Amino acid sequence: MSIDSNYFSLLSKLPPYVFSVVNELKYSARRRGDDIIDFGMGNPDQATPKHIVEKLMESTVQGKNHRYSVSAGLPKLRLAISDWYKKNYDVQIDPDSETIVTIGSKEGLSHLMIAMLSPGEVVMVPDPCYPIHSFSVLIARGDIRPYDSFEENEMLNSILKGLKKNPKPKALIISFPSNPTTQTVNLEFFDKIVEIAKENNIVVIHDFAYADICFDGYKAPSFLQAKGAKDVGVESFSMSKSYNMAGWRVGFMSGNKEIISALRRVKSYLDYGIFQPIQISAITALNETHDCVDQITQTYCSRRNRLIDSFANSGWKIKKPDATMFVWAEIPDKFKSLGSLEFSKKLITDCNVAVSPGIGFGKNGDNFVRFALIENEQRILQASRSIRKLSL
Ligand SMILES: Cc1ncc(COP(=O)(O)O)c(C=O)c1O
């Protein structure tokens, strides 16, 4: 028997991972000894706050925490999630039926698609989008229908247009503050989305990974604050960014009972819950005051300011984002015709600066590159000096 690439039919449906092209260039430059300033992946560079790590250590030495845990998440963690929603958004979440703990948001979103979709069913996804928004649909054997995800009205029009096409979509994925575009919205936008969902009988899945990473007085609304949101959808939150817990793999999904129950059912066959000390530490994180979240947000805010100001001094004017740990930078006119992949390659080879090419997030992203704010301010300044070689 020969096992060739045709054997794995799913894999041929998954698009090539554009980021690996840039990563390869980055690794070979590093092997040559070049100092690459790496703004590529949204992987927080700072440690998890001390009190959360201490809770992990304390609970890890207790043998009772070494057993299989609960797939849906510890009841006390679900209670902490419910309190978190009440405290931060004045939203009521029943800890037993309206929330579930996930192994990071990627896992939750992916298994939700498996729970929801039959082969060929359509989900509307943003273009550009965080890759799991489309990959999760494809992995569940569904089809994606991208909508333009830049400015609010354009987005609503594009969603409405997509909803009219056949086959009729089953769900709509939205995510604000957005990775990669950094676009933010207000609660009225979510009210409109709920209205559209009700009129068109579709489910809404809101990815709220950057809930806390907001600047200059902007506070991102929760989708679940919109009137009637729980009738039509769910929201996923990640501990990865707000608490620098990316490697811990913990998040949660909350909202509509039926959707949460479907995800719970699928997960009950597949996992036994996250390592219990991690769940216990997540309770500590959510129950504590917001000091550590504020400090993490402040670090991204200072880096954002440093990048925008120093790059402007080097001739690259970039729009200042209101939220997220990213800067979504339009490619300067001089290099726009290169497209984002070639321009990203140029940034590595000419300037020792690594970014993510916008095309990796969808065809609408090709005029942009994304900077993840995971280098310190000193290194950001170094990058801004380095890009002067491009004579922008
Ligand atoms: C929009 C968005 N959703 C989800 C994730 C992944 O979150 P998690 O680490 O919880 O899987 C990220 C990570 O970059 C993200 O940007």
Side-chain angles (χ1 to χ4, degrees):
M1 176 188 181
S2 82
I3 301 179
D4 58 14
S5 55
N6 294 328
Y7 188 83
F8 302 99
S9 59
L10 169 66
L11 301 192
S12 64
K13 275 184 79 182
L14 293 172
Y17 207 56
V18 176
F19 304 120
S20 56
V21 178
V22 180
N23 284 339
E24 262 321 304
L25 270 183
K26 186 167 73 189
Y27 299 141
S28 45
R30 282 201 173 129
R31 278 195 295 272
R32 283 196 307 272
D34 293 348
D35 174 23
I36 300 293
I37 307 167
D38 190 359
F39 300 104
M41 187 183 173
N43 188 359
D45 59 309
Q46 304 286 300
T48 306
K50 202 161 157 257
H51 66 286
I52 304 174
V53 176
E54 278 169 0
K55 193 67 184 176
L56 179 77
M57 295 196 298
E58 178 196 315
S59 44
T60 297
V61 292
Q62 295 173 359
K64 66 175 187 204
N65 289 329
H66 299 174
R67 309 184 67 198
Y68 291 129
S69 188
V70 190
S71 164
L74 292 174
K76 277 194 182 149
L77 177 50
R78 283 184 274 115
L79 190 60
I81 294 165
S82 168
D83 291 345
W84 181 89
Y85 262 110
K86 182 75 196 144
K87 184 173 64 190
N88 291 312
Y89 303 103
D90 199 19
V91 166
Q92 213 76 41
I93 291 292
D94 175 45
D96 292 326
S97 60
E98 293 181 332
T99 192
I100 182 169
V101 177
T102 59
I103 310 171
S105 23
K106 280 178 90 168
E107 181 271 334
L109 291 167
S110 305
H111 282 140
L112 177 60
M113 289 304 152
I114 286 174
M116 266 175 50
L117 300 177
S118 298
E121 287 187 322
V122 174
V123 177
M124 294 197 63
V125 298
D127 178 3
C129 71
Y130 178 61
I132 201 67
H133 296 161
S134 50
F135 293 167
S136 60
V137 177
L138 299 174
I139 288 169
R141 303 304 209 265
D143 287 332
I144 53 170
R145 184 169 302 153
Y147 62 87
D148 296 337
S149 68
F150 286 109
E151 181 273 327
E152 270 186 37
N153 282 329
E154 180 197 18
M155 199 160 17
L156 287 171
N157 286 337
S158 184
I159 289 171
L160 288 170
K161 229 159 99 189
L163 287 171
K164 288 201 185 97
K165 291 189 189 153
N166 284 321
K168 205 179 127 23
K170 194 163 186 181
L172 167 71
I173 297 181
I174 55 174
S175 181
F176 302 101
S178 159
N179 172 18
T181 68
T182 73
Q183 164 99 21
T184 55
V185 294
N186 52 28
L187 193 51
E188 286 77 61
F189 178 85
F190 286 149
D191 286 334
K192 284 186 198 144
I193 292 286
V194 171
E195 224 175 274
I196 291 174
K198 287 192 170 175
E199 275 164 13
N200 291 276
N201 205 20
I202 51 160
V203 155
V204 179
I205 298 139
H206 180 232
D207 179 348
F208 200 27
Y210 298 96
D212 294 308
I213 317 294
C214 299
F215 316 126
D216 309 330
Y218 171 72
K219 178 163 168 56
S222 156
F223 174 67
L224 299 179
Q225 287 176 292
K227 198 160 171 284
K230 274 202 268 180
D231 299 337
V232 296
V234 287
E235 177 166 87
S236 93
F237 176 77
S238 165
M239 307 284 292
S240 298
K241 309 300 163 86
S242 300
Y243 299 91
N244 281 339
M245 290 171 75
W248 299 50
R249 312 310 300 129
V250 53
F252 46 87
M253 190 177 282
S254 315
N256 182 275
K257 271 191 180 70
E258 281 72 33
I259 303 174
I260 297 299
S261 153
L263 178 59
R264 204 176 172 132
R265 175 106 185 260
V266 165
K267 276 173 66 62
S268 73
Y269 299 120
L270 298 174
D271 74 65
Y272 287 116
I274 303 167
F275 184 45
Q276 207 145 280
I278 292 181
Q279 296 192 58
I280 293 169
S281 311
I283 298 172
T284 299
L286 293 175
N287 283 346
E288 291 286 317
T289 60
H290 249 57
D291 287 0
C292 67
V293 181
D294 290 345
Q295 273 167 25
I296 289 165
T297 304
Q298 190 47 51
T299 299
Y300 289 128
C301 185
S302 305
R303 290 177 179 180
R304 171 203 69 164
N305 294 343
R306 183 68 71 195
L307 192 146
I308 299 290
D309 294 346
S310 64
F311 275 53
N313 285 336
S314 296
W316 191 350
K317 300 231 172 344
I318 304 171
K319 195 169 163 258
K320 210 180 216 184
D322 291 331
T324 78
M325 58 181 291
F326 304 106
V327 168
W328 180 240
E330 189 157 3
I331 301 174
D333 287 343
K334 183 175 171 188
F335 295 108
K336 213 168 244 168
S337 61
L338 285 183
S340 60
L341 184 56
E342 288 309 312
F343 181 62
S344 301
K345 288 185 190 171
K346 190 171 181 58
L347 280 176
I348 293 192
T349 45
D350 295 5
C351 311
N352 282 356
V353 168
V355 296
S356 292
I359 188 79
F361 303 98
K363 74 170 176 23
N364 283 349
D366 205 23
N367 282 340
F368 295 81
V369 291
R370 191 197 71 179
F371 289 81
L373 297 168
I374 51 161
E375 291 275 16
N376 65 36
E377 292 185 48
Q378 202 52 40
R379 303 270 291 166
I380 291 171
L381 277 178
Q382 198 182 324
S384 73
R385 286 192 290 269
S386 190
I387 62 149
R388 289 191 187 146
K389 290 185 198 130
L390 300 176
S391 308
L392 296 169

